[in-house]
Amino acid sequence: MPNVRQFLELDRQLPNKLAANDRKQNFEEIYSGFDPAAAMAQADRCLHCGNPYCEWACPVHNYIPNWLKLVAEGNVMEAVELSHKTNSLPEMCGRICPQDRLCEQACTLNDTNFGAVTIGAVEKYITDTAIASGWTPDLSDVVKTDKKVAIVGAGPAGLAAADILIRNGVQPVVFDKQPEIGGLLTFGIPQFKLDKELIKYRRSVFEKMGVEFRLGIEIGKDIQFADLINQYDAVFLGMGTYKPMMGGFPGEDLPGVYKALDFLVGNVKNELGYEQTPEPFVSMQGKRVVVLGGGDTTMDCTRTSIRQGANEVYCVYRRDEANMPGSRAEVANAKEEGVQFKFNLAPVEIIGNGKVEGIKVIETRLGEPDANGRRRAETVAGSEKVIDCDAVIVAFGFQPNPPAWFQDFGIQVNNWQGVIASESSLYPFQTTNPKVFAGGDMVRGSSLVVHAIAEARTAAEGILDFLEV
């Protein structure tokens, strides 16, 4: 029987977390999961607001109060089915979504002394229960069509599009140049945030659903895009954003300066035993490391460096802590693990004689808001200083890198190289080539996994309408 006073009688609680000194020794996930009793109790703290702000704050608009109620009542497998009605990868989102900036921030209880409902941890419990039970969706009522759609990219966007298509009787065939599905879920996000066995589980679920994967194949090299256009009824592009944004200051070409994504991918491939190409494994053991940036990728780089045995790790960010764009929980975890934060400092020059020996920075203060409403970081004249270091990782974000064959097929991009594909068009996320659709980071710019999932699901609905399914 639900307890309407549960939020008064039970505090917000998160699952247990490994102690910092213990978790720094390996790359295992740092959070345990709820047991059934704890999950039911925490889920029962939900107020079931008449207007569920948490649901609206979620990019995929999960039926959060509904599956919280099901968990509180012990109906976990019903919650599993319900969570998959809106989210193609709930086991990923329960772990890596910044709930503190989305659903939990919007929770009515978050504005009180009682604390938000632990939505992310309960979502993780739901999907962990599904995995333990061997759950797969029942598609026995799906009427198969004769339509086939090629999907370029097996990251979050491509997988989400495949999920919607197969559930509506359309055969998706997913191509990716990597040896495993997941994109940056597999090769970019460190294992301490996302256990890679989950990727294997999700692949097995999709394959049982009928999704076909063709891995180790690069479009434009191993297979020509013209073949996809000619052999399939439509094409979905979910190729992400992999081109790093650099700082443009002197010294970025010195040995010892690394691109964030290359560093992370190289480490994951080393841990998983994959071939170290084209991203080599770089160890920060014994080094003094500076990571430039303030987002989740920055935290991934700092925390990976700690686990590799770096002597000192600094996060250098040009604004203050309140303006960091990444997850507050990830910042807290990094601090616990020994990362040192230096706020209101902007890089001026990486210095060294044939190798990195330090980085010159300058103090900043927050000025007037920029075009996006964020206060500008203005430099303070005469405040330069040098931070001694042996390695610098640049984590300023990523941008699209459209292949040359886009032009051959009339796929237009905007001034920052993002694919032009509007959600508000007749067929959502249709590109300037009517047969080609796109979604995720390559359309909106580098963003959250859950945004890619939401847009790709909408794009897949657009494909269904285009195919008159």
Side-chain angles (χ1 to χ4, degrees):
M1 184 77 180
N3 179 6
V4 296
R5 296 177 57 83
Q6 183 82 332
F7 73 96
L8 295 171
E9 299 171 1
L10 182 66
D11 291 337
R12 167 187 166 91
Q13 293 177 348
L14 289 168
N16 292 330
K17 181 169 62 172
L18 287 173
N21 284 337
D22 294 333
R23 66 185 192 243
K24 290 191 299 183
Q25 308 307 316
N26 56 60
F27 284 87
E28 296 175 5
E29 278 195 8
I30 71 171
Y31 291 101
S32 62
F34 280 142
D35 61 29
M40 292 172 67
Q42 287 296 309
D44 202 20
R45 296 182 68 247
C46 177
L47 298 178
H48 298 285
C49 310
N51 187 356
Y53 299 112
C54 58
E55 189 173 313
W56 288 108
C58 172
V60 293
H61 304 307
N62 279 330
Y63 302 129
I64 295 170
N66 304 71
W67 46 248
L68 287 173
K69 183 174 185 292
L70 289 169
V71 171
E73 295 170 345
N75 299 318
V76 184
M77 296 314 295
E78 290 184 46
V80 170
E81 297 290 343
L82 186 60
S83 71
H84 281 84
K85 289 187 180 298
T86 54
N87 193 346
S88 302
L89 304 169
E91 72 282 4
M92 315 295 177
C93 292
R95 287 166 163 81
I96 64 173
C97 261
Q99 290 94 3
D100 54 11
R101 292 198 284 124
L102 296 171
C103 55
E104 292 183 12
Q105 184 181 58
C107 176
T108 300
L109 287 175
N110 191 51
D111 293 328
T112 69
N113 292 327
F114 302 110
V117 177
T118 49
I119 296 168
V122 174
E123 183 177 35
K124 177 177 180 290
Y125 166 77
I126 292 170
T127 52
D128 285 354
T129 302
I131 294 169
S133 71
W135 172 90
T136 54
D138 180 6
L139 302 186
S140 59
D141 292 337
V142 173
V143 178
K144 292 185 178 181
T145 70
D146 61 351
K147 305 296 185 182
K148 291 198 308 179
V149 174
I151 296 175
V152 183
L159 297 177
D163 182 35
I164 294 297
L165 293 171
I166 197 69
R167 288 174 181 268
N168 286 274
V170 174
Q171 177 63 56
V173 181
V174 185
F175 297 85
D176 199 286
K177 65 181 180 181
Q178 296 288 3
E180 183 57 277
I181 73 167
L184 292 184
L185 290 172
T186 301
F187 297 104
I189 295 174
Q191 302 94 304
F192 53 77
K193 289 171 61 177
L194 183 63
D195 187 343
K196 305 311 174 183
E197 290 299 314
L198 293 167
I199 309 294
K200 296 178 181 178
Y201 158 77
R202 182 52 65 178
R203 178 177 173 179
S204 71
V205 169
F206 279 136
E207 288 178 335
K208 290 174 183 176
M209 292 168 68
V211 177
E212 181 180 347
F213 293 104
R214 298 186 184 177
L215 303 175
I217 294 176
E218 184 174 351
I219 304 303
K221 179 181 178 183
D222 303 305
I223 292 179
Q224 298 307 307
F225 190 70
D227 296 333
L228 303 187
I229 290 290
N230 294 331
Q231 296 172 18
Y232 293 84
D233 298 288
V235 179
F236 174 80
L237 304 175
M239 300 162 67
T241 51
Y242 287 83
K243 183 179 179 180
M245 299 173 65
M246 303 305 289
F249 42 78
E252 278 188 292
D253 57 348
L254 275 174
V257 180
Y258 304 99
K259 301 170 184 175
L261 193 54
D262 288 352
F263 171 66
L264 292 172
V265 173
N267 185 76
V268 171
K269 285 187 172 182
N270 179 66
E271 289 289 315
L272 299 182
Y274 286 109
E275 184 180 0
Q276 292 291 296
T277 56
E279 306 89 359
F281 170 65
V282 175
S283 174
M284 296 299 174
Q285 184 173 8
K287 296 181 180 180
R288 299 164 297 173
V289 182
V290 168
V291 185
L292 303 175
D296 289 339
T297 300
T298 305
M299 296 306 104
D300 292 345
C301 291
T302 61
R303 299 177 66 200
T304 294
S305 298
I306 288 285
R307 283 160 174 77
Q308 289 184 346
N311 282 350
E312 298 174 0
V313 180
Y314 299 97
C315 170
V316 173
Y317 182 56
R318 60 178 178 163
R319 292 185 172 92
D320 59 15
E321 183 171 1
N323 280 279
M324 294 187 81
S327 165
R328 289 184 286 271
E330 289 302 301
V331 173
N333 287 332
K335 287 182 177 179
E336 291 172 2
E337 293 168 9
V339 176
Q340 301 177 58
F341 285 79
K342 293 185 176 293
F343 298 109
N344 296 108
L345 291 176
V348 175
E349 178 185 6
I350 300 173
I351 57 178
N353 183 16
K355 63 178 182 177
V356 171
E357 296 175 350
I359 181 168
K360 182 185 291 186
V361 295
I362 187 169
E363 292 182 13
T364 64
R365 59 189 172 202
L366 297 182
E368 295 300 315
D370 60 18
N372 296 318
R374 298 182 70 198
R375 295 177 65 188
R376 300 177 189 274
E378 300 176 344
T379 58
V380 178
S383 63
E384 294 91 343
K385 60 183 177 181
V386 173
I387 302 172
D388 294 331
C389 60
D390 309 301
V392 175
I393 302 174
V394 182
F396 288 155
F398 315 100
Q399 57 193 36
N401 187 25
W405 49 259
F406 270 24
Q407 294 183 0
D408 299 333
F409 296 93
I411 302 169
Q412 296 180 9
V413 297
N414 55 31
N415 58 4
W416 50 269
Q417 303 300 295
V419 175
I420 297 173
S422 173
E423 184 174 5
S424 60
S425 60
L426 176 61
Y427 302 114
F429 293 104
Q430 185 180 46
T431 71
T432 46
N433 181 323
K435 200 172 181 178
V436 180
F437 291 71
D441 287 1
M442 68 184 309
V443 173
R444 71 150 46 223
S446 186
S447 188
L448 301 175
V449 166
V450 69
H451 283 138
I453 294 170
E455 292 182 358
R457 288 172 65 93
T458 301
E461 296 286 353
I463 292 173
L464 294 174
D465 290 341
F466 174 74
L467 299 179
E468 298 181 346
V469 173

